[in-house]
Amino acid sequence: MKKIRSNQGRLFYPALRPRRSAGLLLALWLLAAAGGCACRPRGGAGTVLVRDPHSFSRPGEAFVTHLTLFLDVDFDSRTIKGEASWRIQNLSCSRELRLDTRGLTIRRVQLLEEGRVSEGHFTLGEEMPLLGQPLVIGIEPGTEEVLIEYETTGEADALQWLAPRQTAGKRHPFLFTQSQAILARTWIPCPDPPAVRFTYTAAVEVPAPLTAVMSAGRAAKPEALPGGRKRYRFEMPQAVPSYLMALAVGELGFRALGERSGVYAEPSVLESAAWEFADTEKMMRACEELFGPYRWGRYDILVLPPSFPFGGMENPRLTFATPTILAGDRSLVALVAHELAHSWSGNLVTNATWDDFWLNEGFTVYLEHRIMERLYGKAYDEMLARLGLDELSNTIEELIEDHPEDTHLKLDLAGRDPDDGMTDVAYEKGYLFLRMLEEAFGRERWDAFLRAYFDRFSFQPMTTEGFLGFLDRELLEGDRELAEKLRLHAWVYGPGLPDNLPRVRSEALEKAAAAAGYFAAGVSAAALKTDGWTTHEWLHFLRHLPSPLAVDRLADLDRAFGLTSSKNSEILCQWFLVALPGGYSPVMEPLERFLVRVGRRKFLSPLYRELAKTPGGLKRARAIYARARPGYHPVAIGTIDGILGWKD
Ligand code: BES
Ligand code: ZN
C-alpha cells in the first residue's frame, strides 16, 4: 500500500481522506451492537432491498454512500474522461463491489483503506444487450473508498454532443446528459437501480467560454485553468438515485424567476424562457401548501436546444426542458408543473424498480393537475385531464390485443427495455387511479394521506406493494369490502381501465369537438367559432377532424387559421398529422424543417409513422431521417430506427 497522492490537484484528495461520516458512525454502532463482528447482512440496517432486473449491482452486499466525481469534458473527441470515487459501506464484509457500466473504458481502479491507497483488481463481465457489463471490483472488508479512472466512448447513449449549428447561438458546441432510465451507466460507473441513493460532489472541467450545470448546487465560483479551460464545482447534499445524475455544458445565461428559482438557457432564448416560466414560484408555493416543504434548495429550469429528446426531465434542482414548450402564451407550462411535482413524487419517494414506474409518473401527473387546478382553475385543468384520457384510450386500444400486460400499472419488465413500460399507462392510468381514490375518500383525507406518504417515505424507494400497504393502513384500515368496491386489484394488476374510472368532462373541449363535427359536415373553416381558444381546444379540434380530409378542405383550414405557420409546436405537430393523410403538399417543407430541427421523440414518432404511411412516404421519411438523424439524441434514434426499419 502506498500513501495517497494528491492526484494532480483534483478533488480526490479531500474525498479520499477518511472522514467520520454518519455512515461510519452507523458502521461503528453496528459493530458494537453485533458484539465485535462488523460483518452482517445488510438487512440489519433496516433497508428494504428489492431485486432490480436492470442492474448488475448488489446493494445488499457492499453499498455506496457518496460519489466524488471528476469530469474532463472534451468536445474535440466527444468523450468525457472521468474519475469516480465511491465511498462504500461493506457491512457484510463482501469481497466484491459490483457496478453497472455500458460502453465505458475502465483504465484503473484504486482502493482506499485508512488513508492508504492500493491498486485495485477489477474485471468487466459479459456484455448484455441494454444492460452493458458488470464492473466487478475486488475489495477488502475494510475498504472505504473505490476510485475508478474511466473514459466514455461513442457508445455513451446518455450523452448528446451538439455541433454549434445545432444550438441557438451557433457559435459553441453543447453537451447534455439524459440518464433515465438506465443510461447513467454509460457516463458514470455506478450502481444504476433507482432504489440506490447517494450524495455527490463533482468537479467538471470545460472550455472556458462554456458554462457547466448539474443536478446539484454550485459549490464555488468557477476557477480559470490553464489552456483556456474552466472548472466548475458542484455539491449534492441530498441523496439521489443515479438516474437523476445530470450535466449540461454550453453557452448559457441565467435569469432569476424568484428567490429560489431561475432559468438557464442560451442567451438568445433567455428572455422568452423567463417570460414563459413566470409562474414557477407560484407553482412552488402551491406544491408546498399541498405536499409539504420543497426539500431541494433551489429550483431552476434549463432550456435545452431543440434536439432534447423529451419534454422535460426532473433532474433535481435543475429541470431539463425542451424549447418546444416556449409557445409565447404560457399554454404549455403544465410541463413545468409536472417536472416540479417530481421533486416530491419520484425524486423524494422513488419507484423502487422500473416495474413501479407509475409510482413516479402517475403520482406526478396527479400532482401536476392539482397544481394546474390551483393556479388556473378547475375548468382549465379539466381540459388537460380530458386530453390525457383521450391519449390513454388510444394507447390502451393499441396495446390491449397483443400486449395487455403493458396496460397494467404494475409492470414486469425483466428482460425488456425499461423504455417499453414508459407509456401513457403509467402516466394517465396512474393519474386516474389516484383521482379515483381522491374522489372515494374526499380531498381532505386524501390530501392528508398524500402528505404523510411524502413525509414518511422521503428519500426512500417505494414499491407498488409498499404503496398499497400504506394505503391499506392509512385509508382503508383493512376494509376488504371497500378495497373490492374500489377495484384496487383491477386498477393495479389488471388490463385496461376499470369501470369505476372518474368522469373527466370538459365543456370547452366538447365545444371544440363540436366545431370539428360542423367542419366535417361541410361548414367552412372561417364560419367556425374559435375565438378565445387555447392550445388545448385547438389540439382537441384537430384530433376530432375526420381523416383523411380532402386537399381543398385542408387548404380551407390552413387559410383560415394559419396552421402551417403556427409557432406552437404542439399545434403544428397535430396539424401535420391531419394534413399528411390528405396529401396536403404545402406542409411538406415545413414538416421536413421541423423534423430536422426538433428531436423531441413525442413529436418524431407519430410524424415519421404517419409520413411513412403516405404514398411514397417511406422513401421520403427515410430521406428526411438520413439528414436529421445525426442531430438526434441516441434515445430518439433508437425509437425512429425501429419505426423506419433503419439499419445504420
Ligand atoms: N421523467 C420523465 C421523462 C422520462 C421518462 C425520461 C422515462 C426517460 C425515461 C419526465 O418527467 C416526463 O414525464 N416528461 C414528459 C413530459 C410530461 C409533462 C408528461 C415528456 O418528456 O414528454
Ligand atoms: Zn414525469
Side-chain angles (χ1 to χ4, degrees), residues 246-501:
L247 166 72
V249 182
E251 188 192 359
L252 293 174
F254 176 78
R255 269 286 177 85
L257 294 170
E259 275 209 345
R260 48 183 180 162
S261 60
V263 57
Y264 289 92
E266 287 193 70
S268 66
V269 181
L270 203 50
E271 197 179 325
S272 59
W275 185 87
E276 205 85 24
F277 302 147
D279 281 345
T280 303
E281 276 289 330
K282 272 192 214 150
M283 289 184 178
M284 290 181 80
R285 279 198 296 276
C287 281
E288 292 194 298
E289 278 163 31
L290 289 165
F291 320 122
Y294 180 75
R295 311 276 286 264
W296 307 89
R298 292 195 56 85
Y299 178 74
D300 295 322
I301 302 166
L302 167 66
V303 179
L304 289 157
S307 63
F308 183 56
F310 295 106
M313 176 65 212
E314 66 272 27
N315 297 315
R317 289 176 189 233
L318 185 64
T319 282
F320 282 20
T322 170
T324 61
I325 53 167
L326 305 178
D329 59 5
R330 298 184 182 149
S331 63
L332 303 176
V333 294
L335 184 132
V336 175
H338 179 97
E339 304 311 334
L340 172 64
H342 270 305
S343 308
W344 286 262
S345 46
N347 298 4
L348 211 51
V349 182
T350 308
N351 52 204
T353 70
W354 300 116
D355 289 347
D356 305 296
F357 185 57
W358 80 274
L359 289 179
N360 273 21
E361 297 300 343
F363 265 78
T364 298
V365 173
Y366 176 82
L367 268 50
E368 170 194 335
H369 283 296
R370 294 296 301 272
I371 300 166
M372 295 305 285
E373 183 193 312
R374 250 206 192 202
L375 263 69
Y376 309 109
K378 180 94 193 140
Y380 188 86
D381 184 55
E382 207 61 356
M383 284 202 286
L384 304 180
R386 180 71 223 186
L387 290 175
L389 172 58
D390 290 350
E391 285 177 58
L392 174 63
S393 305
N394 291 338
T395 303
I396 290 179
E397 207 176 292
E398 278 163 29
L399 291 172
I400 201 78
E401 278 287 309
D402 297 335
H403 304 282
E405 67 289 350
D406 287 354
T407 68
H408 300 186
L409 285 180
K410 173 80 179 192
L411 298 166
D412 180 8
L413 296 168
R416 299 175 66 189
D417 187 339
D419 233 34
D420 293 351
M422 294 171 179
T423 69
D424 286 335
V425 171
Y427 288 79
E428 299 295 339
K429 183 178 175 183
Y431 160 65
L432 291 171
F433 176 46
L434 299 177
R435 177 164 161 176
M436 182 280 290
L437 291 172
E438 178 208 304
E439 289 174 8
F441 292 103
R443 248 194 197 174
E444 202 176 318
R445 285 187 73 198
W446 173 251
D447 283 1
F449 168 82
L450 269 187
R451 243 190 130 104
Y453 175 75
F454 292 126
D455 281 346
R456 167 76 180 74
F457 301 107
S458 54
F459 299 103
Q460 289 177 46
M462 176 58 66
T463 60
T464 299
E465 292 65 35
F467 164 71
L468 291 175
F470 191 63
L471 181 73
D472 190 45
R473 288 196 298 282
E474 298 291 313
L475 282 180
L476 291 162
E477 293 162 352
D479 185 340
R480 293 293 98 220
E481 253 173 58
L482 182 55
E484 193 55 43
K485 190 171 142 235
L486 297 176
R487 315 215 50 209
L488 294 190
H489 195 273
W491 272 97
V492 177
Y493 300 105
L497 281 172
D499 50 20
N500 64 336
L501 87 155

Side-chain angles (χ1 to χ4, degrees), residues 26-27 29-30 40-49 59-60 63 89 91:
L26 174 71
W29 178 81
L30 283 171
R40 57 194 347 249
R42 171 86 194 282
T47 314
V48 186
L49 296 171
F63 64 98
Q89 282 192 4
L91 302 182

